[in-house]
């Protein structure tokens, strides 16, 4: 998929994702996941840094029900999954977005088997879901640096305080 593809073309079902990006493949596939509730600078920098690690970046997005089960906070997610997916797909660095319903992306990762599994600096490699599956087929886990002051929780706190 080219970086100029319309966002709607980057929103894939699980079956479409596996057909397009699943093994075997020739490109170096990078995968990350999250809720991406209120997209902010930290997210954008993180996603661009992740994309630089390979030829294509797939983002696994927690569904609304999955995000609620993660107990991110009262009323979360604020933004519905379809809107969160469309905003992510609108970024040039993102090649595909898939919404997953499970609490964890482990099954999706085990099916996709990305070459690079990426998480933010608030994780340790041994905490990353899907690490074992990716490493078992020769892939790697990359932990990107933590962006101090760039968090959704911090943004929500500033909004609630009227700053």
């Amino acid at each position: 998929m080219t970086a100029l593809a319309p966002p709607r073309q980057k929103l894939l079902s699980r079956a479409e994702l596996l057909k397009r990006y699943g093994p075997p493949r020739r490109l170096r596939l990078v995968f990350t996941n999250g809720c991406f509730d209120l997209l902010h600078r930290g997210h954008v920098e993180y996603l661009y840094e992740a994309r630089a690690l390979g030829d294509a970046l797939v983002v696994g997005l927690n569904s609304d029900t999955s995000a609620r089960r993660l107990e991110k906070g009262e009323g979360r997610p604020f933004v519905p999954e379809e809107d969160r997916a469309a905003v992510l797909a609108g970024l040039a660095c993102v090649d595909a977005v898939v919404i997953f319903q499970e609490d964890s992306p482990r099954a999706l990762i085990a099916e996709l088997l990305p070459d690079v599994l990426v998480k933010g600096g608030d994780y340790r490699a041994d905490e990353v879901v899907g690490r074992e599956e990716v490493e078992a087929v020769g892939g790697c886990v990359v932990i990107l640096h933590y962006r101090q002051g760039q968090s959704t929780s911090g943004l929500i706190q500033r909004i609630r305080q009227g700053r």
Side-chain angles (χ1 to χ4, degrees):
M1 189 65 47
T2 68
L4 298 178
R8 70 182 172 281
Q9 289 181 6
K10 297 180 186 181
L11 303 175
L12 304 179
S13 69
R14 196 172 190 134
E16 291 169 323
L17 177 76
L18 294 171
K19 183 177 179 182
R20 191 175 300 171
Y21 291 103
R25 62 180 162 264
R26 292 188 174 178
L27 55 80
R28 183 172 168 87
L29 185 66
V30 179
F31 178 88
T32 194
N33 65 281
C35 293
F36 298 97
D37 192 7
L38 298 176
L39 197 66
H40 54 73
R41 177 182 178 172
H43 287 138
V44 173
E45 290 177 357
Y46 167 83
L47 292 167
Y48 270 88
E49 192 175 341
R51 174 59 174 80
L53 298 171
D55 301 314
L57 173 62
V58 170
V59 178
L61 183 67
N62 289 83
S63 68
D64 290 346
T65 55
S66 172
R68 284 187 198 102
R69 287 192 304 264
L70 294 176
E71 299 180 11
K72 288 287 191 172
E74 188 177 336
R76 301 275 307 275
F78 295 120
V79 180
E81 64 191 45
E82 297 86 9
D83 294 343
R84 291 183 286 126
V87 170
L88 285 168
L91 296 173
C93 63
V94 174
D95 295 279
V97 177
V98 61
I99 297 171
F100 64 93
Q101 301 296 325
E102 302 90 346
D103 290 351
S104 149
R106 183 179 305 279
L108 175 60
I109 292 167
E111 291 176 286
L112 188 60
L113 294 174
D115 301 289
V116 183
L117 179 56
V118 178
K119 289 302 279 182
D122 48 342
Y123 284 85
R124 292 188 332 258
D126 63 332
E127 298 173 322
V128 176
V129 170
R131 176 184 60 83
E132 297 88 358
E133 291 83 353
V134 169
E135 289 178 346
V137 294
C140 66
V141 173
V142 175
I143 305 296
L144 300 180
H145 72 279
Y146 182 73
R147 288 161 171 79
Q148 193 66 33
Q150 298 293 323
S151 72
T152 303
S153 299
L155 178 60
I156 291 168
Q157 185 176 18
R158 288 191 302 275
I159 290 168
R160 287 185 171 150
Q161 292 173 349
R163 296 189 292 148

XYZ file of all heavy atoms in Angstrom, residues 10 30-61 84-97 116 118-121 144-145 147:
410
model
N -6.934 1.626 3.826
C -6.008 1.091 4.817
C -6.734 0.395 5.968
O -6.103 -0.229 6.809
C -5.135 2.207 5.388
C -4.235 2.883 4.382
C -3.435 3.948 5.112
C -2.602 4.809 4.234
N -1.844 5.785 5.051
N 6.279 -4.341 10.207
C 6.312 -3.832 11.576
C 4.870 -3.806 12.086
O 3.951 -3.433 11.355
C 6.914 -2.414 11.629
C 6.934 -1.883 13.059
C 8.299 -2.391 11.009
N 4.692 -4.221 13.338
C 3.369 -4.232 13.951
C 3.427 -3.556 15.302
O 4.370 -3.754 16.074
C 2.882 -5.676 14.140
C 1.536 -5.777 14.823
C 0.368 -5.742 14.089
C 1.449 -5.903 16.203
C -0.873 -5.839 14.722
C 0.215 -5.995 16.844
C -0.951 -5.960 16.099
N 2.412 -2.762 15.594
C 2.212 -2.233 16.935
C 0.719 -2.223 17.205
O -0.084 -2.425 16.289
C 2.832 -0.833 17.119
O 2.877 -0.531 18.520
C 2.061 0.244 16.371
N 0.363 -1.995 18.443
C -1.053 -2.001 18.794
C -1.318 -1.052 19.954
O -0.405 -0.638 20.664
C -1.512 -3.408 19.175
C -0.849 -3.910 20.430
O 0.305 -4.350 20.400
N -1.544 -3.828 21.557
N -2.588 -0.724 20.109
C -2.993 0.121 21.218
C -4.401 0.632 21.035
O -5.094 0.290 20.076
N -4.822 1.508 21.955
C -6.154 2.109 21.903
C -6.157 3.383 21.065
O -7.133 3.672 20.390
C -6.636 2.436 23.318
S -6.922 0.962 24.311
N -5.094 4.172 21.152
C -4.966 5.416 20.387
C -6.248 6.238 20.487
O -6.806 6.681 19.489
C -4.596 5.130 18.923
C -3.277 4.431 18.776
C -3.218 3.046 18.621
C -2.091 5.143 18.816
C -2.000 2.390 18.501
C -0.863 4.499 18.695
C -0.825 3.116 18.541
N -6.685 6.442 21.728
C -7.963 7.098 21.977
C -7.956 8.555 21.535
O -8.763 8.952 20.699
C -8.319 6.971 23.455
C -9.748 7.370 23.766
O -10.527 7.616 22.821
O -10.106 7.414 24.951
N -7.080 9.349 22.083
C -6.934 10.740 21.670
C -5.551 10.868 21.029
O -4.539 10.947 21.727
C -7.047 11.690 22.871
C -8.378 11.676 23.611
C -8.317 12.579 24.840
C -9.520 12.096 22.693
N -5.511 10.842 19.711
C -4.234 10.854 19.017
C -3.498 12.161 19.316
O -4.069 13.251 19.181
C -4.458 10.697 17.508
C -3.228 10.296 16.719
C -2.770 8.895 17.080
C -3.515 10.362 15.224
N -2.248 12.059 19.731
C -1.455 13.227 20.101
C -0.040 13.095 19.552
O 0.301 12.091 18.917
C -1.443 13.430 21.626
C -0.996 12.222 22.399
N 0.311 11.799 22.451
C -1.712 11.340 23.141
C 0.395 10.719 23.199
N -0.820 10.413 23.633
N 0.754 14.111 19.784
C 2.110 14.179 19.247
C 2.938 12.941 19.595
O 3.667 12.417 18.756
C 2.808 15.436 19.780
C 4.234 15.560 19.340
C 4.875 16.784 19.940
N 6.267 16.863 19.538
C 7.028 17.900 19.786
N 6.535 18.960 20.420
N 8.284 17.901 19.400
N 2.842 12.469 20.818
C 3.599 11.290 21.222
C 3.245 10.079 20.368
O 4.120 9.320 19.959
N 1.949 9.900 20.084
C 1.524 8.805 19.219
C 2.114 8.945 17.816
O 2.633 7.984 17.249
C -0.003 8.783 19.077
C -0.742 8.319 20.270
N -1.892 8.935 20.696
C -0.530 7.292 21.128
C -2.366 8.303 21.754
N -1.551 7.313 22.052
N 2.000 10.138 17.263
C 2.463 10.359 15.885
C 3.964 10.118 15.773
O 4.424 9.412 14.861
C 2.076 11.772 15.396
C 2.701 12.080 14.045
C 0.552 11.903 15.321
N 4.742 10.654 16.699
C 6.195 10.436 16.662
C 6.518 8.951 16.823
O 7.393 8.416 16.145
C 6.877 11.268 17.748
C 6.844 12.754 17.448
C 7.444 13.605 18.551
O 7.858 13.055 19.606
O 7.499 14.837 18.372
N 5.827 8.289 17.716
C 6.006 6.853 17.947
C 5.715 6.053 16.677
O 6.486 5.172 16.279
C 5.089 6.434 19.099
C 4.905 4.953 19.271
C 5.835 4.189 19.962
C 3.772 4.311 18.763
C 5.651 2.819 20.133
C 3.581 2.951 18.941
C 4.531 2.209 19.623
O 4.350 0.868 19.786
N 4.607 6.352 16.016
C 4.221 5.614 14.815
C 5.206 5.844 13.666
O 5.550 4.904 12.937
C 2.792 5.968 14.405
C 1.722 5.463 15.381
C 0.368 6.106 15.082
C 1.623 3.948 15.363
N 5.677 7.062 13.508
C 6.676 7.321 12.464
C 7.987 6.598 12.770
O 8.632 6.060 11.881
C 6.904 8.829 12.277
C 5.978 9.412 11.242
C 4.712 9.877 11.592
C 6.344 9.465 9.900
C 3.850 10.398 10.643
C 5.486 9.984 8.936
C 4.237 10.444 9.318
O 3.387 10.937 8.366
N 8.372 6.583 14.035
C 9.589 5.868 14.424
C 9.435 4.361 14.195
O 10.357 3.694 13.717
C 9.909 6.164 15.892
C 11.277 5.716 16.325
C 11.624 6.129 17.752
O 10.981 7.050 18.313
O 12.560 5.521 18.319
N 8.270 3.839 14.497
C 8.003 2.413 14.273
C 8.066 2.092 12.780
O 8.682 1.105 12.371
C 6.638 2.034 14.844
N 7.448 2.918 11.963
C 7.419 2.674 10.512
C 8.824 2.651 9.913
O 9.108 1.895 8.975
C 6.565 3.744 9.823
C 6.564 3.694 8.300
C 6.054 2.356 7.790
N 5.920 2.329 6.353
C 6.928 2.141 5.504
N 8.161 1.990 5.951
N 6.717 2.126 4.204
N 9.731 3.435 10.476
C 11.109 3.505 9.974
C 11.862 2.190 10.177
O 12.916 1.983 9.577
C 11.858 4.654 10.657
N 11.304 1.285 10.962
C 11.955 0.000 11.243
C 11.673 -1.062 10.181
O 12.189 -2.173 10.265
C 11.514 -0.521 12.615
C 11.891 0.361 13.805
C 11.220 -0.142 15.079
C 13.401 0.406 13.966
N 10.861 -0.734 9.195
C 10.528 -1.730 8.175
C 9.944 -1.113 6.930
O 10.033 0.095 6.716
N 9.320 -1.966 6.130
C 8.747 -1.547 4.851
C 7.268 -1.202 4.945
O 6.730 -0.547 4.051
C 8.918 -2.668 3.816
C 10.382 -3.020 3.603
O 11.194 -2.104 3.450
O 10.693 -4.236 3.604
N 6.599 -1.679 5.973
C 5.172 -1.409 6.166
C 4.850 -1.483 7.651
O 5.439 -2.283 8.378
C 4.321 -2.421 5.394
N 3.919 -0.635 8.080
C 3.478 -0.607 9.474
C 2.000 -0.947 9.557
O 1.160 -0.277 8.932
C 3.711 0.770 10.091
C 3.153 0.994 11.505
C 3.791 0.058 12.521
C 3.323 2.454 11.921
N 1.686 -1.978 10.329
C 0.311 -2.363 10.627
C 0.030 -1.993 12.077
O 0.829 -2.294 12.968
C 0.098 -3.879 10.420
C -1.257 -4.316 10.966
C 0.229 -4.241 8.952
N -1.107 -1.341 12.289
C -1.530 -0.977 13.640
C -2.751 -1.811 14.010
O -3.769 -1.780 13.322
C -1.871 0.522 13.745
C -2.368 0.859 15.153
C -0.664 1.378 13.387
N -2.621 -2.561 15.098
C -3.748 -3.279 15.679
C -4.431 -2.350 16.661
O -3.793 -1.831 17.579
N -5.700 -2.103 16.469
C -6.445 -1.148 17.284
C -7.452 -1.868 18.166
O -8.285 -2.637 17.670
C -7.178 -0.158 16.360
C -7.952 0.957 17.041
C -7.003 1.923 17.750
C -8.808 1.690 16.019
N -11.281 6.341 15.474
C -9.875 6.154 15.834
C -9.128 5.471 14.694
O -8.002 5.862 14.342
C -9.745 5.336 17.119
C -10.234 6.079 18.356
C -10.047 5.292 19.644
N -11.001 4.204 19.765
C -10.695 2.933 19.989
N -9.430 2.560 20.134
N -11.634 2.006 20.087
N -9.756 4.474 14.084
C -9.135 3.742 12.971
C -8.923 4.656 11.776
O -7.857 4.629 11.143
C -10.000 2.541 12.583
N -9.911 5.484 11.453
C -9.798 6.384 10.302
C -8.691 7.416 10.504
O -7.946 7.719 9.565
C -11.135 7.081 10.043
N -8.571 7.934 11.716
C -7.512 8.918 11.987
C -6.134 8.264 11.862
O -5.229 8.814 11.240
C -7.712 9.567 13.378
C -6.501 10.393 13.780
C -8.972 10.430 13.379
N -5.975 7.075 12.424
C -4.700 6.360 12.284
C -4.388 6.076 10.820
O -3.259 6.264 10.358
C -4.737 5.040 13.061
C -4.614 5.137 14.569
C -4.966 3.799 15.206
C -3.216 5.586 14.972
N -5.391 5.632 10.072
C -5.195 5.307 8.660
C -4.856 6.548 7.842
O -4.258 6.439 6.769
C -6.442 4.625 8.100
N -5.211 7.718 8.348
C -4.893 8.967 7.660
C -3.436 9.372 7.767
O -2.989 10.271 7.044
N -2.687 8.716 8.635
C -1.264 9.022 8.767
C -0.479 8.328 7.656
O -0.663 7.136 7.411
C -0.741 8.566 10.126
C -1.327 9.260 11.351
C -0.828 8.577 12.627
C -0.972 10.736 11.363
N 0.414 9.058 7.017
C 1.206 8.494 5.918
C 2.071 7.327 6.370
O 2.344 6.414 5.588
C 2.073 9.581 5.289
N 2.485 7.310 7.623
C 3.370 6.248 8.113
C 2.643 4.933 8.358
O 3.278 3.890 8.503
C 4.087 6.696 9.386
S 2.976 7.023 10.774
N 1.327 4.960 8.408
C 0.535 3.757 8.690
C 0.062 3.153 7.373
O -0.582 3.819 6.568
C -0.672 4.088 9.604
C -1.569 2.881 9.775
C -0.187 4.596 10.957
N 0.384 1.878 7.181
C 0.002 1.189 5.950
C -1.311 0.437 6.078
O -2.004 0.229 5.079
C 1.116 0.223 5.530
C 2.369 0.986 5.168
O 2.435 1.489 4.036
O 3.273 1.105 6.026
N -1.658 0.013 7.286
C -2.917 -0.710 7.495
C -3.316 -0.623 8.963
O -2.463 -0.568 9.849
C -2.771 -2.175 7.094
N -4.632 -0.629 9.179
C -5.200 -0.638 10.527
C -6.217 -1.775 10.578
O -7.033 -1.926 9.665
C -5.904 0.693 10.863
C -6.552 0.631 12.249
C -4.925 1.864 10.783
N 8.910 -7.292 12.975
C 9.260 -6.402 14.086
C 7.986 -6.095 14.865
O 6.987 -5.653 14.292
C 9.891 -5.082 13.577
C 10.320 -4.208 14.752
C 11.055 -5.348 12.637
N 6.647 -3.770 17.901
C 7.074 -2.525 18.532
C 6.121 -2.127 19.648
O 4.904 -2.209 19.493
C 7.141 -1.379 17.491
C 7.525 -0.064 18.144
C 8.116 -1.714 16.380
N 6.706 -1.662 20.756
C 5.943 -1.070 21.849
C 6.694 0.153 22.353
O 7.877 0.335 22.080
C 5.744 -2.063 23.002
C 4.780 -3.191 22.700
C 3.381 -2.751 22.312
C 2.513 -2.402 23.487
N 1.137 -2.025 23.095
N 5.984 0.972 23.126
C 6.574 2.183 23.669
C 7.431 1.920 24.891
O 7.405 0.827 25.467
N 8.176 2.915 25.285
C 9.130 2.813 26.366
C 8.544 2.589 27.738
O 9.281 2.408 28.712
N 10.593 1.379 21.817
C 10.959 2.752 21.477
C 11.012 3.589 22.751
O 10.380 3.251 23.750
C 9.947 3.331 20.491
C 9.843 2.573 19.165
C 8.808 3.228 18.253
C 11.184 2.493 18.469
N 11.751 4.665 22.700
C 11.931 5.462 23.914
C 10.618 6.093 24.361
O 9.736 6.369 23.554
C 13.029 6.515 23.718
C 12.642 7.644 22.815
N 12.692 7.557 21.447
C 12.189 8.885 23.098
C 12.287 8.688 20.911
N 11.968 9.508 21.884
N 8.264 8.954 25.628
C 8.172 10.392 25.382
C 7.547 11.069 26.599
O 6.322 11.070 26.748
C 7.363 10.639 24.118
C 8.139 10.242 22.890
C 7.247 10.042 21.687
N 8.046 9.881 20.498
C 8.653 8.750 20.149
N 8.569 7.701 20.931
N 9.362 8.680 19.041
